[in-house]
Amino acid sequence: MTPTLDTPLSDLPEVKAADERRLTHLGLITVRDLLFYLPFDWENYQPSKVNDLQPGEQARVEGTISKIVAKRTPRRNMQLTEAVLIDDDDAGLKLVWFNMPFVAKQINRGDRVAVAGKVQGPSRFSNQLEMRNPRHERLRSGDEGPRGLHDLMPKYHLTKGLTSMRVAFLVAKVIDLADQLEDPIPDEVRARHDLLPIGEAIRLGHRPENEQEWRRARQRMAFAELLELQIAFLLRRREMAAEEATRIPYHQEVIERFKEGVGFELTQAQRRAIWDVYKDMDGEVPMNRLLNGEVGSGKTAVAAAAVAMAHAAGVQSVVMAPTEILARQHLAKFRTYLEDTFPDLRVELLISGQAAAERRRVRTAAASGHCALLVGTHALIEDEVELSDLGLAVVDEQHRFGTEQRERLRNKAGRGRPHFLAMTATPIPRSMALAMYGEMALSVIDELPPGRTPVETSVVAPSRREEAYELVRREVAAGRQAFIICPLIEESETVEARAATAEFERLRQEVFPDLRLALVHGKVRDKDGIMGAFRNGEADILVATAVIEVGVDVPNAAVMLIEGADRFGLAQLHQFRGRVGRGSHASHCLLLVDDPSEKSLSRLQLLSSVNDGFRLAEEDMRLRGAGELLGARQHGMSDIAMQGLFQPQLLSEIQEEAERLLEGDPDLEGTALLRDAARRRLERTAIS
Ligand code: ADP
Ligand code: MG
């Protein structure tokens, strides 16, 4: 069989059933998928002699195996494979593999092998340098050098049971097909930006001769992906511009009344955002705007101002939130902001936790037009919910909803499309927001309402844990409440839940036996109930996993203690911190670290001096990569494209190119491949 680009990987004779499972897990189904799966990094294994090896360096050595044994360690019951390699100068290198018993079956005494790995100093029991878990290859007589172990070894993103060498081996089998790939980027565009043709980029991406080639390959791939995305956004904007919305005309007296009744002076940033929204809504093209402002920045008031204007225009609004407790909080806020000022503006709540009769009553009010604003959860998008005249749809924490859910909400409008406002508390630097949410207009609230006491933030070394607990006790004694966040465990929600339960038991029995503790994690059924009870003061301390992230307001909470803080991103820690400091009292955020290294401490120290979520997010992107920021991965963006997000210059070049292409050829007839790629991307990534 001669494979083609569309051949399923499972049809390749080299791909075993186990491989297939693992490749599928990585989203690699066809030969084409595999070709596009470029390594994210390289290990550089320079060929070396044992006598020249330095501890700490990466190297590749060839020699003969003089001894190899597989055994079990007595204490921890690990499988240990130990070997000695003798090179051509008769110098010995010790090799150790942990839990890889198959190695002893693959190589025997007397075999000539190449090994590559990091060199370690001699252990206590020998005077030889060693390599742990080195990559290895048995050399066959007649071969000049290793076939699979090159100087540059690719590092692929993997899944359990798969090695980078295995991926490289499979790639090698199909790499020649890269020449059959058609290039979606026209020659002229490639020339303008000095980009490699697709086939070459794929080849060099997998098998570069040097670092520079690899970078060029990646640059090309990032450019293509981001260009597709930008084109997709422009197409999308154009489509939206062709849709009709009910115009919501601007009335000065509505905003005047709103300002008087809302109960506080709007911040500059809030006013700017409200103005953006009003301008959009006062047009026939549906608004499609993202409101980005960190926790506590007052996004709700902006949404309420929009609702007031919609109401004045005689259309209804809906606000959808991801949890019942948030929906209830919204209900309360919208009522305070609006109902006294605009007596005929009725706000109702619709959640599945309500009694059937109540739901029926609210549905009738919505369908008859009596209710001007319907606040709720997913319950809003159910089929039996009808609105008489929907003009504005608002989604809070927009990333928590799927495209389809948002779409269903927008389709509740009888005619045309409602104006759409999405809100998110994840601070996203502007350049990145443009690249990721380019089909939406962006408003940023970069200012907190005045009068907030900044949360006192300190990094706590493991040895000082007791002092942190002491502070919790003191605050509880003063009538306040505390959050304790358990470390992030990425393995699975079940593992994380188990760990959180264990920590909860330990805290309850050993540390705070006299206090009232509650626990909430991803596997808890009644999260809302527990959060609600905590808010009502029924517990002193809420032990939680990261599920607590979503904006629950507990004004009496004064301490946020975060275990294993070094495992979280700065932006996320900042979000946690935003859960306290909402009342008038001074609040504390305690960052306990597992890894008290200089690097992790100095990263966390930033939180004590910087209080701006956007700056922290940028810092996060720089230190940990864009994927850590919520969204990018869900967005289906490759790591390569995500790195492009750090290059504002590149991004604006790409945006210009996208505009140029569409201007010259509005339907992209001449670049059908690019158009189709863009459309596919849009289907996968559209948030609106
Ligand atoms: P978020 O952006 O997290 O949704 P909210 O809209 O819930 O923030 O606002 C947080 C709190 O700040 C609320 O209690 C709100 O009433 C209050 N608030 C909002 N804007 C202002 C303002 N301009 N001045 C004073 N308080 C404000
Ligand atoms: Mg909010």
Side-chain angles (χ1 to χ4, degrees), residues 519-538:
L519 169 70
V520 58
H521 55 65
K523 290 275 164 172
V524 163
R525 278 256 205 80
D526 186 22
K527 278 194 234 72
D528 272 9
I530 296 171
M531 299 276 217
F534 182 63
R535 198 154 65 108
N536 295 338
E538 289 165 34

Side-chain angles (χ1 to χ4, degrees), residues 225 229 233 398-399 406 432-433 435-439 629-638 642 645 681 684-688:
E225 190 172 329
L229 204 56
F233 291 150
Q398 58 87 15
H399 56 273
R406 289 184 293 242
M432 182 166 167
M436 286 178 51
Y437 303 111
E439 81 267 44
L629 275 190
L630 210 131
R633 235 178 260 296
Q634 297 170 355
H635 225 70
M637 225 184 247
S638 76
M642 278 191 251
L645 299 180
R681 203 162 280 289
R684 261 186 292 147
T685 63
I687 78 154
S688 60

Side-chain angles (χ1 to χ4, degrees), residues 613-626:
F614 287 92
R615 250 202 74 198
L616 291 169
E618 260 170 61
E619 206 53 32
D620 245 359
M621 274 176 68
R622 214 171 50 71
L623 296 171
R624 295 165 37 119

Side-chain angles (χ1 to χ4, degrees), residues 153-181:
M153 288 303 293
K155 288 197 341 204
Y156 291 95
H157 284 299
L158 299 169
T159 183
K160 208 166 163 222
L162 201 63
T163 64
S164 282
M165 268 184 88
R166 183 80 191 144
V167 177
F169 168 79
L170 295 173
V171 167
K173 296 286 165 202
V174 295
I175 191 80
D176 286 339
L177 289 167
D179 295 334
Q180 294 180 16
L181 287 166

Side-chain angles (χ1 to χ4, degrees), residues 3 35 57 65 82 97 146 175 313 331 342 353 365 399 408 428 433-434 456 543 546 555 575 596 603 645:
L35 287 175
E57 72 178 356
I65 297 293
E82 289 182 333
W97 288 272
I175 191 80
L331 177 76
F342 305 95
H399 56 273
R408 286 182 62 179
I428 312 168
L434 281 175
E456 172 111 20
V543 180
Q575 299 265 55
R603 185 174 75 92
L645 299 180

Side-chain angles (χ1 to χ4, degrees), residues 137-396:
E137 179 180 337
R138 213 175 86 199
L139 303 176
R140 299 176 213 182
S141 56
D143 278 0
E144 258 175 39
R147 297 159 178 241
L149 264 184
H150 304 276
D151 295 4
L152 278 179
M153 288 303 293
K155 288 197 341 204
Y156 291 95
H157 284 299
L158 299 169
T159 183
K160 208 166 163 222
L162 201 63
T163 64
S164 282
M165 268 184 88
R166 183 80 191 144
V167 177
F169 168 79
L170 295 173
V171 167
K173 296 286 165 202
V174 295
I175 191 80
D176 286 339
L177 289 167
D179 295 334
Q180 294 180 16
L181 287 166
E182 287 180 283
D183 203 328
I185 305 191
D187 295 352
E188 157 219 336
V189 176
R190 278 211 319 274
R192 205 164 20 240
H193 301 277
D194 189 25
L195 301 171
L196 292 174
I198 181 83
E200 207 177 331
I202 295 286
R203 269 177 190 284
L204 294 183
H206 287 288
R207 314 271 295 262
E209 294 276 318
N210 53 50
E211 174 111 13
Q212 205 211 334
E213 284 184 350
W214 179 63
R215 293 208 177 283
R216 279 202 75 198
R218 284 173 68 87
Q219 183 82 353
R220 139 84 218 208
M221 302 309 288
F223 192 102
E225 190 172 329
L226 293 169
L227 180 65
E228 284 164 19
L229 204 56
Q230 290 309 315
I231 289 180
F233 291 150
L234 290 177
L235 291 174
R236 180 71 175 193
R237 280 184 177 224
R238 207 167 63 191
E239 270 164 26
M240 301 272 283
E243 295 199 47
E244 250 176 87
T246 305
R247 213 182 119 217
I248 298 178
Y250 173 71
H251 291 297
Q252 176 86 27
E253 65 281 8
V254 174
I255 182 67
E256 296 298 340
R257 272 169 72 196
F258 176 78
K259 280 191 197 159
E260 257 165 51
V262 71
F264 40 73
E265 185 82 9
L266 294 171
T267 62
Q268 279 295 342
Q270 280 172 320
R271 273 185 250 176
R272 268 198 311 270
I274 291 172
W275 183 236
D276 288 342
V277 168
Y278 283 168
K279 266 194 303 195
D280 285 357
M281 294 197 307
D282 194 355
E284 262 117 43
V285 172
M287 167 169 77
N288 191 22
R289 186 167 281 280
L290 178 65
L291 180 60
N292 189 189
E294 58 182 286
V295 172
S297 62
K299 295 185 289 296
T300 321
V302 174
V307 169
M309 200 60 81
H311 175 62
V315 292
Q316 290 172 302
S317 306
V318 290
V319 173
M320 183 161 75
T323 67
E324 299 205 344
I325 194 162
L326 278 176
R328 283 183 194 282
Q329 281 186 15
H330 276 317
L331 177 76
K333 276 185 202 148
F334 282 103
R335 282 193 167 154
T336 1
Y337 294 166
L338 296 168
E339 280 193 338
D340 286 346
T341 319
F342 305 95
D344 57 335
L345 196 167
R346 273 197 31 215
V347 187
E348 297 283 5
L349 177 73
L350 191 72
I351 53 180
S352 44
Q354 281 164 323
E358 171 67 359
R359 277 213 307 278
R360 234 181 350 260
R361 183 187 69 76
V362 173
R363 278 208 309 267
T364 311
S368 66
H370 270 60
C371 148
L373 168 60
L374 189 56
V375 176
T377 54
H378 303 79
L380 290 175
I381 54 182
E382 279 161 22
D383 286 338
E384 44 316 345
V385 180
E386 278 174 42
L387 290 135
S388 69
D389 196 358
L390 177 62
L392 169 67
V394 180
V395 172
D396 194 16

